[in-house]
Amino acid sequence: METLKRTRIAEILQSKDFGTTVQVKGWVRTRRGNKQVGFIALNDGSTIRNVQIVVPVDAFGEDSLKPVTTGACIRVNGILTESPGQGQDAEIHAQEIHVYGTADPLTYPLQKKGHSLEFLRDIAHLRPRTNTFGAIFRIRHHMAIAIHRFFHERGFYYFHTPVLTASDCEGAGQMFQVTTLNLYDLKKDANGSIDYTNDFFGKQASLTVSGQLEGELAAMALGAIYTFGPTFRAENSNTPRHLAEFWMIEPEVAFNEIEDNMQLAEDFIKYCVRWALDNCREDVEFLNNMFDKELIERLNFVLKQNFIRLTYTEGIRILEAAIAKGHTFEYPIYWGADLASEHERYLVEDHFRCPVILTDYPKEIKSFYMKQNDDGKTVRAMDVLFPKIGEIIGGSQREEDYDKLSQRAQEMDVPTKDIWWYLDTRRFGTAPHSGFGLGFERLLMFVTGMTNIRDVIPFPRTPHNAEF
Ligand code: 4AD
Ligand code: MG
């Protein structure tokens, strides 16, 4: 006899081969019923929907069904049958049930419905088994595919930049140090400095905060590249928008000016949002209905809008006018100040009601590598600000002039001897170029409607939290 092959539940629910024998494997969401007939809702992760398993209780014997409780993993052979219930798909009339693994109802944490997102964070090892996190992690996968497709279709090359690095791209001093030195027996020199010559790399090393500097090297050869990898920042900010480990996508394009960079960013985000609506419909609808009734509306809205383009200076004027009219902000705002999330969201959600690309920031609050404007005060930075999120993208045109770049690095205390290789691109065949970084989890927050970034990454790393 030919052995029966397992079919994924996503396919079972589409199938019209009623009367055939099928096999499914998955985790029990619920079991209910009476003495005659039982109903098992089974999920295997291939879709948010469960398949209903109809069990003739007498034929099986009540005892043999006892281990089939919420959370148990089972295999079912049965007849694919058209479901009589209205709006329901195919169901399976069980002939044989095998229990792979039980889940004791007294200790399995995912018993009743409606656990809080906070509670589920504490059981991040099990939360993928909930409808909510199944949906989120399927969307996360599809967004990664969308990103690769977007760039591949446009002739960008996926370029891998190192995770271990000896340079601080953003110069913000938020790096996680990496060492093989024995911390219990650290040797210091006469000045109290640590001697790194005996460390693994012979110098101080860290986890990367950005692949941009290496990405620029590649753009100066391959023309257009993007990176997509894990990024680490030891910023001690316990906010719903920051992670210590997050994923960033960083395109870098030779010959692009800031206007091209803005257009690329806008096209890129819209492509991803459209992809979610087209390819993750059921999951997005579920999140819309469960958590955020305006989610789909917001996604469609962003697709229709041309993002507002505005200089930092104009943005400050609008914020000052808001204060003059009685609006209050927690943090002070004046020309030269960095925008807090509340300021960004005021511009996007209250003033323009539309995504905003803010450009030409004061050079003091931006990184050394940004192209300096002729006014001597501002740089060609661009931040894309989104409703509910604030900053989703940060980028700029890059300073391509060797003298200006190295001078700005010195002014900002960036150790130029560590980035001689970066400065070299400006010595040999330099060219105008631009790029940006999209926070993958910020994009996912927007697409899923989740309001805490810890809920769009499987195992979040935040201050004092590295469980799982
Ligand atoms: O604005 P950032 O710091 O820009 C850079 O790192 C540049 N090197 C990018 C480039 O031009 N190639 O970070 C880029 C984006 C932010 O807009 C935000 O979406 C995300 O990365 N991001 C974070 N996401 C989660 N947790 C954090 N701690 C983040 N820090 C930045
Ligand atoms: Mg930024």
Side-chain angles (χ1 to χ4, degrees):
M1 199 185 100
E2 209 182 303
T3 49
L4 202 50
K5 277 220 183 80
R6 172 203 172 208
T7 309
R8 283 158 27 111
I9 289 171
E11 283 140 48
I12 288 282
L13 295 175
Q14 305 283 328
S15 174
K16 295 272 177 277
D17 292 337
F18 302 124
T20 57
T21 304
V22 295
Q23 180 179 82
V24 290
K25 300 176 179 180
W27 292 267
V28 175
R29 284 296 166 81
T30 55
R31 178 163 71 88
R32 59 191 176 82
N34 51 40
K35 286 217 171 349
Q36 286 81 48
V37 54
F39 301 98
I40 301 167
L42 195 68
N43 190 283
D44 69 358
S46 61
T47 160
I48 192 155
R49 287 183 294 153
N50 305 322
V51 67
Q52 171 153 284
I53 314 289
V54 182
V55 191
V57 177
D58 278 345
F60 278 80
E62 247 179 275
D63 276 357
S64 77
L65 290 173
K66 276 217 177 94
V68 183
T69 57
T70 297
C73 184
I74 63 173
R75 178 185 70 211
V76 180
N77 294 350
I79 308 290
L80 188 71
T81 309
E82 192 165 10
S83 177
Q86 249 215 335
Q88 283 188 27
D89 319 86
E91 59 184 30
I92 295 170
H93 289 201
Q95 293 172 317
E96 194 190 322
I97 296 179
H98 171 75
V99 179
Y100 286 117
T102 57
D104 184 345
L106 292 176
T107 51
Y108 184 59
L110 290 174
Q111 283 304 326
K112 57 183 194 305
K113 289 181 192 167
H115 294 299
S116 73
L117 294 171
E118 289 82 4
F119 170 77
L120 292 172
R121 261 171 240 150
D122 290 336
I123 51 164
H125 60 309
L126 295 171
R127 70 178 180 169
R129 296 190 192 186
T130 62
N131 284 332
T132 298
F133 286 92
I136 290 168
F137 296 140
R138 275 186 297 272
I139 294 172
R140 192 178 162 106
H141 158 80
H142 281 286
M143 286 296 95
I145 298 294
I147 286 161
H148 287 298
R149 285 186 67 130
F150 175 85
F151 287 117
H152 180 70
E153 284 167 6
R154 282 158 187 74
F156 286 60
Y157 299 107
Y158 181 26
F159 190 74
H160 294 107
T161 52
V163 167
L164 293 171
T165 175
S167 61
D168 180 357
C169 168
E170 293 303 308
Q174 296 171 325
M175 305 192 79
F176 284 101
Q177 202 176 323
V178 174
T179 182
T180 52
L181 291 175
N182 180 358
L183 296 181
Y184 294 98
D185 184 24
L186 268 187
K187 304 264 184 307
K188 295 188 182 171
D189 67 14
N191 304 322
S193 302
I194 293 164
D195 179 9
Y196 285 104
T197 51
N198 292 322
D199 202 351
F200 189 88
F201 296 108
K203 55 179 166 181
Q204 197 174 357
S206 306
L207 298 176
T208 186
V209 295
S210 162
Q212 179 194 323
L213 300 191
E214 292 90 349
E216 283 188 49
L217 311 181
M220 288 294 116
L222 298 168
I225 63 94
Y226 68 105
T227 72
F228 187 175
T231 310
F232 307 87
R233 293 193 187 174
E235 51 195 334
N236 211 348
S237 41
N238 234 322
T239 81
R241 273 181 275 280
H242 289 88
L243 291 165
E245 176 179 307
F246 62 100
W247 287 64
M248 187 153 57
I249 300 96
E250 295 184 277
E252 193 70 38
V253 191
F255 317 117
N256 263 12
E257 309 262 342
I258 188 79
E259 290 78 16
D260 309 305
N261 207 33
M262 287 193 262
Q263 196 57 50
L264 181 67
E266 183 167 343
D267 293 346
F268 176 41
I269 297 193
K270 285 180 173 168
Y271 183 97
C272 293
V273 170
R274 153 97 19 242
W275 189 274
L277 286 168
D278 289 349
N279 295 279
C280 313
R281 194 75 206 189
E282 282 178 348
D283 288 327
V284 171
E285 269 170 10
F286 172 82
L287 295 171
N288 184 89
N289 298 339
M290 276 295 283
F291 295 100
D292 182 349
K293 297 275 185 297
E294 286 158 15
L295 174 62
I296 292 178
E297 203 180 304
R298 206 159 50 243
L299 298 182
N300 281 313
F301 175 79
V302 158
L303 290 180
K304 285 200 295 267
Q305 297 299 315
N306 290 322
F307 297 3
I308 300 276
R309 298 174 185 195
L310 174 85
T311 66
Y312 167 91
T313 303
E314 291 166 320
I316 294 291
R317 258 189 234 124
I318 291 169
L319 293 168
E320 285 174 341
I323 293 170
K325 273 191 255 148
H327 193 94
T328 53
F329 294 110
E330 193 182 335
Y331 296 98
I333 190 73
Y334 50 88
W335 201 97
D338 215 346
L339 299 190
S341 166
E342 56 174 346
H343 304 125
E344 296 172 342
R345 291 182 60 179
Y346 177 85
L347 292 174
V348 172
E349 290 166 27
D350 297 325
H351 190 81
F352 289 109
R353 297 173 185 276
C354 174
V356 171
I357 311 183
L358 212 56
T359 60
D360 301 288
Y361 284 71
K363 62 179 183 186
E364 281 74 23
I365 57 171
K366 289 293 182 188
S367 302
F368 76 99
Y369 51 70
M370 295 190 180
K371 185 173 174 67
Q372 297 162 39
N373 281 320
D374 292 337
D375 63 8
K377 293 193 301 195
T378 59
V379 288
R380 288 207 185 165
M382 57 165 239
D383 278 7
V384 181
L385 312 179
F386 249 51
K388 298 260 177 191
I389 311 293
E391 180 190 335
I392 193 165
I393 280 181
S396 72
Q397 184 164 345
R398 317 307 189 188
E399 182 55 74
E400 81 259 28
D401 181 274
Y402 179 85
D403 292 329
K404 285 187 187 163
L405 180 63
S406 54
Q407 195 196 332
R408 191 70 194 135
Q410 277 158 30
E411 282 167 15
M412 296 188 81
D413 290 329
V414 176
T416 44
K417 66 169 183 9
D418 292 343
I419 52 162
W420 60 271
W421 43 270
Y422 179 68
L423 297 172
D424 259 8
T425 52
R426 275 64 167 176
R427 293 211 301 147
F428 306 122
T430 191
H433 61 289
S434 300
F436 60 80
L438 168 76
F440 189 44
E441 285 76 18
R442 301 250 177 115
L443 172 69
L444 285 169
M445 287 174 78
F446 183 70
V447 167
T448 61
M450 289 290 114
T451 53
N452 193 313
I453 200 165
R454 293 166 178 80
D455 295 331
V456 296
I457 188 165
F459 305 105
R461 268 75 182 105
T462 50
H464 293 280
N465 175 29
E467 195 71 40
F468 311 107

